[in-house]
Amino acid sequence: MAFKEIGQLLNDGLHLPIGERTYTVPAPSAETGLRVQAIINAAAVAADGGEADEQVLADAAERDLYRDALGAAYDEMIADGVTWPELKHCAITAMVWIAQDTEAAERYWDAGGDPSRLAPNRETRRAQARSGAASSTPNRGSSSGTNTRPVPGPGAATQPTG
């Protein structure tokens, strides 16, 4: 069995619809992909309260990250007069695609960039809880090591059975 040519295995880009037009974001260069991945990782660390790599974030500020993430689609969007929120949403969607995959980018796109819309809604969570789908892990018992019934001490009288 031989390896297939890699172009047959990978998708040709990300297709983002805005109004009547669909923009194709081409696969980024390896350099852009590595930089986007590093920036997203640094941002995640910072969001979790850790210390982000200042050099990575400084490098991001030096370059036009949105232009790099969108590739040729960036110039097309600017020429077509897309709005700032549309351009920003497209660029962040492209960054999610670069750092993760198409499915994650679609979830981000469909949520309108709102993280609260990425999580299941309350009714879905309740339905999962009712069906037992929310957690397959049984509840833990007490780990305190204490017993709920007192254990008779030495020399305690026992009652006759009868």
Side-chain angles (χ1 to χ4, degrees):
M1 181 171 157
F3 285 101
K4 293 180 182 176
E5 199 283 317
I6 197 164
Q8 297 173 354
L9 305 173
L10 303 177
N11 63 27
D12 61 344
L14 189 64
H15 307 285
L16 304 176
I18 300 177
E20 299 294 318
R21 174 122 190 240
T22 298
Y23 296 90
T24 299
V25 178
S29 69
E31 179 185 7
T32 297
L34 290 169
R35 192 163 47 86
V36 166
Q37 184 72 47
I39 290 165
I40 287 181
N41 288 341
V45 167
D48 286 341
E51 286 192 36
D53 184 336
E54 296 296 327
Q55 182 62 43
V56 168
L57 297 179
D59 288 347
E62 290 175 9
R63 298 186 185 186
D64 188 354
L65 185 60
Y66 286 3
R67 179 186 299 272
D68 290 346
L70 291 170
Y74 178 91
D75 291 328
E76 294 171 15
M77 290 177 188
I78 295 298
D80 290 346
V82 300
T83 66
W84 167 243
E86 291 169 335
L87 181 76
K88 180 179 176 183
H89 188 63
C90 289
I92 295 173
T93 300
M95 291 169 46
V96 171
W97 171 61
I98 292 167
Q100 295 181 29
D101 58 27
T102 303
E103 290 78 25
E106 286 175 3
R107 285 191 303 272
Y108 179 84
W109 179 270
D110 291 344
D114 181 355
S116 69
R117 292 175 53 194
L118 292 171
N121 65 27
R122 182 183 298 175
E123 186 55 39
T124 302
R125 289 191 307 268
R126 286 181 180 164
Q128 288 173 339
R130 284 192 298 267
S131 71
S135 174
S136 61
T137 306
N139 290 336
R140 288 182 28 175
S142 171
S143 61
S144 68
T146 60
N147 232 335
T148 56
R149 284 186 253 154
V151 176
T158 58
Q159 295 195 4
T161 57

